[in-house]
Amino acid sequence: MARTTKRKRIGQPRQRICTLRELRARCDGYFRMVDSTPRVIWRTVINSGERAKIPVPIFRPYRVIDLCAFIGCSVAHLRRAVDRVDADTGDAYDLVLARAKMTIEAQNEAGAMMRIFSASPAARRRNAERLNEAKRAKRAAAEALKNENEKQQPGDGTR
């Protein structure tokens, strides 16, 4: 027997982490916190025959997972917010989260270019884009060759 009534949607509605002003403050607070607390490594230096260990501050990269933990949302929530902004259906909350993610990506790209951070996340993203472009170009070339071959073959079977 067919169901005539519409089923109720199961699940919780999208919950707000906090007010818009608090969200902006939390995102800015995360960036300030990371900038103000560099990671310290100890380097051994030999000066006039004596070995000494000196602290060397190393800037920490921004990370999406750390931002999410700091503001209290999941990585999936942040990705959905960015997707909504890309699809032009996002609201002010989504714009704040998308701006924070873009800040993280820009800092990682700049740090990789200046060789401050490991270039692996930025390089993987760039290489994946290049690989996808190469695959698309290869498919387009194969399709064009196939179409060209079909045009050159006579349809009546005579030579």
Side-chain angles (χ1 to χ4, degrees):
M1 186 168 171
R3 185 178 287 252
T4 57
T5 59
K6 207 172 192 183
R7 285 186 150 178
K8 273 191 162 183
R9 190 171 181 182
I10 299 173
Q12 296 178 356
R14 192 169 76 177
Q15 294 180 346
R16 297 292 178 203
I17 302 164
C18 52
T19 66
L20 185 61
R21 184 175 291 187
E22 289 173 350
L23 182 62
R24 283 187 187 133
R26 286 183 187 183
C27 289
D28 292 339
Y30 167 73
F31 296 131
R32 276 194 308 264
M33 186 258 319
V34 171
D35 289 339
S36 66
T37 56
R39 197 174 77 211
V40 176
I41 62 169
W42 293 88
R43 299 267 171 128
T44 303
V45 178
I46 300 174
N47 189 10
S48 65
E50 292 184 19
R51 293 184 129 190
K53 288 194 172 193
I54 59 168
V56 178
I58 295 181
F59 294 103
R60 294 177 15 196
Y62 300 148
R63 297 184 342 158
V64 172
I65 195 162
D66 293 339
L67 172 71
C68 292
F70 193 85
I71 63 176
C73 75
S74 66
V75 175
H77 179 77
L78 181 96
R79 287 192 183 131
R80 284 191 302 267
V82 172
D83 290 343
R84 283 191 296 268
V85 169
D86 290 342
D88 290 332
T89 58
D91 56 3
Y93 286 89
D94 297 337
L95 287 172
V96 170
L97 292 173
R99 181 184 65 103
K101 187 167 189 293
M102 288 181 357
T103 303
I104 291 170
E105 289 174 354
Q107 191 244 21
N108 287 335
E109 284 282 332
M113 296 287 220
M114 296 186 306
R115 296 180 182 221
I116 295 174
F117 309 132
S118 168
S120 59
R124 278 197 305 262
R125 188 169 38 255
R126 261 195 318 274
N127 289 340
E129 290 169 0
R130 288 180 187 152
L131 183 63
N132 288 337
E133 288 174 14
K135 285 181 181 179
R136 281 193 295 270
K138 187 176 179 180
R139 273 190 239 122
E143 189 68 30
L145 184 63
K146 181 181 171 185
N147 291 339
E148 188 66 32
N149 287 339
E150 288 175 357
K151 288 180 184 177
Q152 289 180 357
Q153 292 178 352
D156 58 26
T158 60
R159 290 191 177 198

